[in-house]
């Protein structure tokens, strides 16, 4: 709205004329005006009335914020007024980049390959990874091969490897062909980006209460780090080694979720249940980033870009896409910006992938709806699910250009 205010101040007379013209038009032809200002993205809210949220394999119930309603029509009316007045309205913050014609996909993770412009989206239900080519082609990249639900994904463009975290969370994240005896197992899967060949599997059994490998990040030397939400730990596959090892597991580590690497800061940032931790690759300890008073930083997806941390969060609090600007030392948050707190496509947004000047976000994972359908908690069947939507969210700045 600040942009709109600036335009109004600089073009006050034109807006007044346009507003008067629209008012007269409304009295004479109300039908035409309604067509003119009707929201282009308006649609029926797909969230059912029973909607509540449970973060993956946990018993803590968190109500979804009401702020996920579609943007109000008054904003679009103002855009219409500005357009008639000859003023420029700001470009949309988010637009649909592509959809995937598989309502039963139930996506969670997404990764981008800057070499060939392809995206990879993981399925928690169908136990596979889908590739979306730069030309818009969509096809299976990896299917089954021992996968459980596919969670976090990341691309190592230099070494041409796609890393995937896969976990068996039981009823918390159900999938086809689920074997209850394997609940609590998890693993890291490495794929050759050129051929799709499986390069290696690194598995954890269901000991010590089980595991939930959640998100993954690659450091500059090619080491792979993975958060284990179930085991409250971080695991590592060190560069030049072929084994998954425990990197850190302090007894007080909160629920580790999203993870990202910053070459500039030389550290990993980890989402820790409302806080953000800094972890240096050579030091298995956690240092917490200082947040402003009263601010929490929840992140299902966490990404470093141009001195800021970008988060994606599906539940109450910082719902949607938020930017946390860091100081020069990367130890303190200096400002918080709600980039996209709501969108008509949001039905439990999960993670994203930075590509150029944008974040490509899984807008509607539909995990909770799918879980309720599968458990028979609501009437109806899978026909209630819709095609997964990937949004392109403009981040601005100098991220290397839009792919």
């Amino acid at each position: 709205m600040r942009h709109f205010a600036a335009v109004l101040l600089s073009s006050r007379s034109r807006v007044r004329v346009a507003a008067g013209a629209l008012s007269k038009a409304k009295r004479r032809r109300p039908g035409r005006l309604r067509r003119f200002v009707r929201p282009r993205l308006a649609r029926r809210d797909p969230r059912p009335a029973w909607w509540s949220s449970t973060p993956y394999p946990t018993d803590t119930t968190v109500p979804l914020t009401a702020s996920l309603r579609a943007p109000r029509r008054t904003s679009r009316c103002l855009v219409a007024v500005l357009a008639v007045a000859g003023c420029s309205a700001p470009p949309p913050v988010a637009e649909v980049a592509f959809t995937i014609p598989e309502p039963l996909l139930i996506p969670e993770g997404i990764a981008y390959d800057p070499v060939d412009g392809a995206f990879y989206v993981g399925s928690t239900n169908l136990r596979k990874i889908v590739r979306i080519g730069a030309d818009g082609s969509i096809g299976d990249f990896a299917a089954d091969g021992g996968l459980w639900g596919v969670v976090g994904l990341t691309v190592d463009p230099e070494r041409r490897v796609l890393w995937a975290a896969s976990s068996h969370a039981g009823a918390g994240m159900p999938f086809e062909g689920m074997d209850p005896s394997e609940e609590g197992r998890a693993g890291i899967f490495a794929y050759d980006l050129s051929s799709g060949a499986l390069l290696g599997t690194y598995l954890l059994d269901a000991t010590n209460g089980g595991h939930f490998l959640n998100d993954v990040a690659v450091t500059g030397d090619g080491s792979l780090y993975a958060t284990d939400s179930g085991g409250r730990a971080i695991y590592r596959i060190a560069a030049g080694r072929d084994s998954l090892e425990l990197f850190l597991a302090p007894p007080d580590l909160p629920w580790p979720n999203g993870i990202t690497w910053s070459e500039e800061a030389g550290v990993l940032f980890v989402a820790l249940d409302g806080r953000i931790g800094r972890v240096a690759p050579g030091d298995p300890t956690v240092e917490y980033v200082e947040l402003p008073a009263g601010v929490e930083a929840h992140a299902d997806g966490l990404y470093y870009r141009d001195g800021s941390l970008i988060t994606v969060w599906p539940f109450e609090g910082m719902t949607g896409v938020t930017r946390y600007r860091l100081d020069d030392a990367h130890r303190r948050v200096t400002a918080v910006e709600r980039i996209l707190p709501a969108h008509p496509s949001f039905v439990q947004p999960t993670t994203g992938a930075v590509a150029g000047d944008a974040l490509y976000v899984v807008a509607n994972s539909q995990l909770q709806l799918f879980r309720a359908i599968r458990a028979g908690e609501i009437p109806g069947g899978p026909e209630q699910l819709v095609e997964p939507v990937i949004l392109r969210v403009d981040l601005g700045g100098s991220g290397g250009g839009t792919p």
Side-chain angles (χ1 to χ4, degrees):
M1 296 301 295
R2 286 179 294 183
H3 181 94
F4 291 153
V7 174
L8 286 169
L9 288 172
S10 63
S11 307
R12 184 175 299 168
S13 60
R14 285 185 293 171
V15 171
R16 285 175 177 168
V17 171
L22 282 175
S23 178
K24 293 178 182 178
K26 183 175 181 179
R27 290 194 297 269
R28 291 195 299 266
R29 295 183 294 276
R32 178 175 298 181
L33 178 66
R34 283 196 295 269
R35 285 194 298 272
F36 181 71
V37 300
R38 182 177 294 128
R40 296 180 63 190
L41 293 177
R43 66 180 70 178
R44 180 182 63 84
D45 188 342
R47 295 187 308 278
W50 52 264
W51 180 275
S52 64
S53 56
T54 306
Y56 312 127
T58 177
D59 295 330
T60 304
T61 301
V62 183
L64 186 70
T65 177
S67 66
L68 289 185
R69 298 190 183 98
R72 294 179 179 178
R73 177 171 294 190
T74 52
S75 297
R76 292 187 173 92
C77 291
L78 182 54
V79 172
V81 171
L82 294 174
V84 171
C87 304
S88 61
V93 173
E95 59 186 2
V96 175
F98 55 88
T99 61
I100 303 173
E102 292 191 74
L104 285 169
L105 197 68
I106 317 301
E108 167 74 14
I110 181 172
Y112 172 69
D113 182 3
V115 174
D116 65 4
F119 287 89
Y120 296 86
V121 177
S123 170
T124 62
N125 174 43
L126 301 182
R127 306 167 62 185
K128 67 178 184 177
I129 301 169
V130 175
R131 181 183 184 275
I132 300 90
D135 60 356
S137 59
I138 300 176
D140 290 353
F141 175 78
D144 198 11
L147 288 167
W148 298 286
V150 180
V151 197
L153 296 173
T154 193
V155 164
D156 183 343
E158 181 179 343
R159 298 161 189 87
R160 309 304 298 145
V161 177
L162 173 70
W163 294 96
S166 181
S167 297
H168 189 322
M173 186 176 280
F175 55 82
E176 291 188 357
M178 188 165 62
D179 182 353
S181 68
E182 293 190 335
E183 184 173 344
R185 298 197 66 193
I188 299 296
F189 294 72
Y191 297 92
D192 186 307
L193 281 168
S194 300
S195 65
L198 181 63
L199 299 176
T201 58
Y202 308 86
L203 306 180
L204 298 173
D205 59 27
T207 57
N208 301 320
H211 302 275
F212 184 78
L213 291 177
N214 195 333
D215 202 7
V216 286
V218 176
T219 59
D221 67 351
S223 297
L224 185 283
Y225 289 80
T227 55
D228 179 7
S229 302
R232 303 296 196 272
I234 295 177
Y235 281 82
R236 176 179 68 177
I237 301 174
R241 303 190 63 178
D242 195 36
S243 61
L244 181 65
E245 60 184 6
L246 181 64
F247 179 66
L248 66 83
D252 59 345
L253 187 69
W255 176 270
N257 199 333
I259 186 170
T260 186
W261 165 251
S262 167
E263 191 73 38
E264 181 182 356
V267 298
L268 293 151
F269 291 97
V270 186
L272 297 170
D273 196 21
R275 303 175 71 184
I276 297 174
R278 286 169 42 105
V279 178
D283 182 9
T285 58
V286 178
E287 174 191 352
Y288 286 95
V289 173
E290 181 183 346
L291 294 169
V295 171
E296 293 186 341
H298 292 283
D300 203 9
L302 180 65
Y303 313 97
Y304 179 86
R305 180 182 182 274
D306 290 347
S308 297
L309 292 170
I310 313 295
T311 67
V312 180
W313 181 243
F315 305 123
E316 184 176 301
M318 289 301 188
T319 310
V321 182
T322 304
R323 185 190 338 253
Y324 297 83
R325 298 189 183 276
L326 300 171
D327 65 359
D328 292 342
H330 299 89
R331 284 184 162 83
R332 181 171 61 89
V333 170
T334 60
V336 180
E337 176 189 355
R338 303 301 306 280
I339 299 175
L340 187 68
H343 191 275
S345 296
F346 277 175
V347 183
Q348 197 177 348
T350 53
T351 63
V354 175
D357 293 329
L359 181 72
Y360 288 74
V361 177
V362 177
N364 58 336
S365 68
Q366 306 176 101
L367 172 60
Q368 290 179 311
L369 175 57
F370 173 68
R371 193 166 56 194
I373 292 171
R374 186 180 174 103
E377 297 173 355
I378 60 173
E383 68 276 0
Q384 301 175 70
L385 301 169
V386 299
E387 294 183 353
V389 174
I390 308 301
L391 292 177
R392 182 191 183 279
V393 181
D394 182 26
L395 298 178
S398 56
T402 302

